[in-house]
Amino acid sequence: MCGMTSAYAQSNYKSAVWSPDNGNGTYTNPVINADYSDPDVCVGASGEDYYLTASSFQCIPGLPILHSKDLVNWEIVNYAIQGGLEPKSEFDKPSHGNGVWAPSIRYHNGEYYILWGDPDYGVMMVKTNDPAGEWTRPQCIIPGKGMIDTTPLWDDDGRCYLVNGWANSRSKFASVITVREMKADLSAPIGNPVIVFDGNGNENHTCEGPKFYKRDGWYWLMFPAGGVPTGFQVAARSKSPFGPYESKVVLAQGKTDINGPHQGGWIHTKYGEDWFLHFQDKEAYGRVVHLQPVTWKDNWPVMGKVPAKGYCGEPVLTYQKPKTAGKVLVVNPVESDEFNTTTLGLQWQWHANFDQKFGMPTPWGVYRVYCYKAGSPDNLSIPAAGEEQDARIWNIPNLLLQKTPADNFTATTKIRMTAKAENQFGGLIMMGLNYSALVVKRVGDEFQLQRITCINADKGKPETVEVLATFKPTEVDQITYHPAIHEDIYLRLNVKYIGGKDADGANKHEARVEFAYSTDGKKFKTAGEPFTMRQGKWIGAKVGFVAAQPSGKEDRGWIDIDWFRMTK
């Protein structure tokens, strides 16, 4: 559907901007320095393979599947959702921050299951017998609003239970965790929810994101509380899945710089070790993934550095790698792309359900993205009489984007803009609640280099446009049938971490983006003022491509992307 590469086709990729493996038997956090929000992980059938998934919200393909042999070196191998999200009326346009929230991944009786809560439509499930293969289409197993952060647990007697949190924005209550019994095949509930933990009115407010486990006869709920940026990880245990549970805080920031260490997955390896993968909210960069050792102390899972007293660990920055059967190759999620195959790389996602008119691979070493007709019913709902559709980039679904891969990096691309009519444009964008794009736009029979910027896009604020340069086309069609003019150009953005402190003295994760362009790929000129990168709705800022034009009957223009390269 999206021209996905086959699993492992991009294996053995080592990032030029971030790799956690130190090459001496140790690793440095984060193990994935990209926005894999709300990560969960399971051990595969062999006991030697680990699979991770994460929230993908409205982005398609959705539910990324990452694979590792050692919990440190990860690669993207698949997506569990490739056919888009339902209902189409909601997800054919950018439904910012909606869709796939906080999934769990589990292996049971020869099959892999992923469950998640769509806060507006219910508890969803997909499954497969091969994580790198085809997954079933999403199935709603419990319809309704507000249920999020769902995890199943199959008990020793074959019974199945489901834990979940609740979204205050939909249910108007939160900070409670509930458990109910399910059919063993997870097709439907056979019991009503029971509140097993209540964080209202105490330090465990905002408890959510629960994961469900069983160990040595004890049922375990592991979940974050205290808020996303600055919260902590809680472990709760009981002899019954329905409680009552006793709890302790088992991981917190302490004296480290790793804020809000929580919400993730516990792993017990075949070598007898225990590990916890969790996220750290880095604002504009999104929620990056850390790996902590787990030490059991008095039957409590202390995560990270074990304290002299008590059970609350602190995050480690560098630590010994997990035990494995043999040497593991250094590998990282792919970022750069030469577009030399007829499939789209696994690092790329569209900003809404995919439509084949968005873009297509070619056999010529370029990927083509067609101009979306903004402000029209191209894929958006038809505006009512007398109204105009919001034509800002915020509402364009064919943004081709990927996650930011490091605190500091440079992204450079070579593109050709082909314009069939005036006002068609395309180029490089840093997308978020605030966004800025460096594009070439046809004006008359020439092209303008423009910066299109929007601050507080989610609040309906308008875009500003700055004209930086004017170019004669590099080529003009010599035919009379729908003639086009073309512009070849190199575009670049540089991201630099600038940090800072908030009003309470806590670390901030701010970044500055500087744009540049070149006509020969050698000498680059600054393109406008620096831009402060900002996260999207529940996701980190994303970098990639935009191509659009006004609504109308004109033939579409397009950009051909020759290559996209991440460097220091």
Side-chain angles (χ1 to χ4, degrees):
M1 154 277 186
C2 291
M4 307 311 300
T5 62
S6 60
Y8 305 102
Q10 296 172 303
S11 60
N12 303 331
Y13 178 91
K14 184 172 180 181
S15 172
V17 294
W18 181 260
S19 184
D21 194 320
N22 296 322
N24 60 0
T26 69
Y27 69 91
T28 297
N29 276 314
V31 291
I32 309 175
N33 202 1
D35 181 42
Y36 288 92
S37 177
D38 314 315
D40 194 36
V41 63
C42 75
V43 182
S46 69
E48 299 282 357
D49 297 281
Y50 306 100
Y51 295 98
L52 180 147
T53 191
S55 298
S56 53
F57 300 98
Q58 85 279 2
C59 302
I60 293 297
L63 284 176
I65 306 297
L66 282 76
H67 169 261
S68 178
K69 287 285 190 179
D70 63 359
L71 298 172
V72 171
N73 290 282
W74 292 93
E75 60 182 337
I76 314 168
V77 298
N78 201 6
Y79 288 87
I81 299 174
Q82 296 199 21
L85 295 172
E86 297 286 348
K88 288 175 63 63
S89 60
E90 174 69 25
F91 293 105
D92 280 0
K93 60 183 183 295
S95 186
H96 297 275
N98 298 321
V100 180
W101 285 25
S104 62
I105 183 168
R106 292 292 179 268
Y107 177 70
H108 176 70
N109 282 351
E111 290 191 294
Y112 296 84
Y113 295 78
I114 296 178
L115 272 66
W116 71 96
D118 182 310
D120 295 303
Y121 298 103
V123 179
M124 312 296 291
M125 179 183 74
V126 292
K127 61 182 179 178
T128 187
N129 57 15
D130 177 11
E134 185 176 356
W135 291 74
T136 59
R137 290 190 64 85
Q139 172 188 355
C140 184
I141 58 176
I142 310 177
K145 281 183 174 285
M147 295 169 287
I148 56 172
D149 308 344
T150 51
T151 305
L153 173 69
W154 287 272
D155 210 342
D156 305 330
D157 60 4
R159 297 171 73 178
C160 184
Y161 304 95
L162 183 77
V163 66
N164 68 273
W166 293 85
N168 187 70
S169 58
R170 272 69 166 186
S171 61
K172 295 306 175 186
F173 63 84
S175 296
V176 293
I177 292 172
T178 60
V179 171
R180 76 190 79 195
E181 189 167 359
M182 302 287 292
K183 290 184 178 180
D185 64 359
L186 286 175
S187 60
I190 57 176
N192 291 319
V194 175
I195 295 175
V196 296
F197 192 88
D198 186 356
N200 285 281
N202 58 54
E203 66 278 5
N204 294 315
H205 66 88
T206 325
C207 60
E208 57 182 351
K211 298 298 190 297
F212 215 172
Y213 308 98
K214 192 174 185 183
R215 177 183 184 269
D216 296 339
W218 288 88
Y219 297 88
W220 286 92
L221 299 176
M222 298 187 185
F223 54 89
V228 171
T230 57
F232 45 84
Q233 182 70 17
V234 178
R237 69 185 184 188
S238 174
K239 282 292 187 177
S240 164
F242 294 106
Y245 284 85
E246 56 178 327
S247 66
K248 292 186 184 297
V249 176
V250 293
L251 179 67
Q253 178 174 353
K255 296 180 180 179
T256 74
D257 289 331
I258 302 172
N259 58 287
H262 62 222
Q263 188 155 344
W266 163 51
I267 282 290
H268 179 72
T269 75
K270 66 181 293 183
Y271 302 101
E273 294 182 332
D274 293 276
W275 298 87
F276 182 66
L277 279 157
H278 67 90
F279 76 67
Q280 175 196 13
D281 188 330
K282 291 179 65 175
E283 299 173 277
Y285 296 98
R287 301 172 186 181
V288 304
V289 183
H290 289 241
L291 178 66
Q292 304 298 333
V294 176
T295 303
W296 289 89
K297 181 179 180 181
D298 302 331
N299 197 32
W300 289 100
V302 180
M303 299 174 177
K305 182 181 178 182
V306 179
K309 296 181 180 179
Y311 303 92
C312 182
E314 290 185 358
V316 299
L317 184 61
T318 299
Y319 202 78
Q320 198 74 20
K321 290 173 57 179
K323 293 179 181 178
T324 57
K327 186 176 180 180
V328 175
L329 291 176
V330 174
V331 63
N332 309 120
V334 174
E335 307 135 357
S336 297
D337 201 334
E338 297 298 313
F339 298 103
N340 285 336
T341 68
T342 53
T343 52
L344 182 60
L346 290 169
Q347 64 269 51
W348 300 106
Q349 292 175 293
W350 302 99
H351 226 39
N353 281 349
F354 175 74
D355 182 298
Q356 58 191 358
K357 297 188 297 295
F358 288 178
M360 304 178 191
T362 76
W364 312 308
V366 299
Y367 190 89
R368 179 165 296 177
V369 179
Y370 283 99
C371 291
Y372 182 83
K373 294 194 174 185
S376 77
D378 198 2
N379 267 69
L380 300 173
S381 58
I382 299 175
E387 294 182 356
E388 290 187 5
Q389 182 68 53
D390 186 344
R392 296 175 305 153
I393 291 174
W394 178 255
N395 294 299
I396 291 176
N398 74 325
L399 301 181
L400 184 61
L401 307 173
Q402 64 168 279
K403 306 172 191 299
T404 60
D407 290 356
N408 300 285
F409 65 91
T410 297
T412 308
T413 185
K414 180 185 178 184
I415 68 168
R416 163 172 277 206
M417 176 72 211
T418 294
K420 293 279 189 175
E422 279 202 73
N423 297 316
Q424 296 175 346
F425 69 88
L428 188 64
I429 187 170
M430 180 62 78
M431 186 65 190
L433 298 173
N434 300 345
Y435 59 82
S436 192
L438 180 62
V439 304
V440 285
K441 181 177 182 178
R442 179 173 172 178
V443 179
D445 289 332
E446 296 181 325
F447 285 96
Q448 289 183 353
L449 182 72
Q450 297 184 354
R451 276 279 298 278
I452 303 173
T453 301
C454 187
I455 306 299
N456 295 323
D458 57 321
K459 306 296 185 185
K461 299 301 183 182
E463 295 174 341
T464 61
V465 177
E466 179 185 6
V467 178
L468 302 171
T470 300
F471 307 114
K472 296 292 184 182
T474 52
E475 186 180 334
V476 179
D477 283 357
Q478 299 302 308
I479 59 173
T480 58
Y481 178 72
H482 298 294
I485 64 174
H486 313 271
E487 176 65 27
D488 298 309
I489 195 165
Y490 300 81
L491 305 175
R492 172 177 288 175
L493 62 80
N494 174 265
V495 173
K496 184 176 181 180
Y497 182 83
I498 56 177
K501 298 283 186 180
D502 64 17
D504 297 322
N507 289 335
K508 296 179 68 176
H509 301 283
E510 291 191 352
R512 183 174 63 243
V513 184
E514 297 178 341
F515 287 88
Y517 73 97
S518 173
T519 55
D520 62 6
K522 298 176 182 178
K523 296 180 179 180
F524 281 82
K525 297 180 180 179
T526 300
E529 294 298 314
F531 168 77
T532 300
M533 191 168 79
R534 189 179 174 201
Q535 65 270 27
K537 183 68 171 179
W538 304 130
I539 63 177
K542 299 183 78 172
V543 59
F545 299 94
V546 58
Q549 65 187 77
S551 61
K553 296 181 180 180
E554 294 83 3
D555 289 350
R556 296 178 193 272
W558 63 82
I559 58 172
D560 283 336
I561 311 166
D562 191 345
W563 45 259
F564 176 89
R565 296 169 186 164
M566 289 280 196
T567 57
K568 289 185 177 180

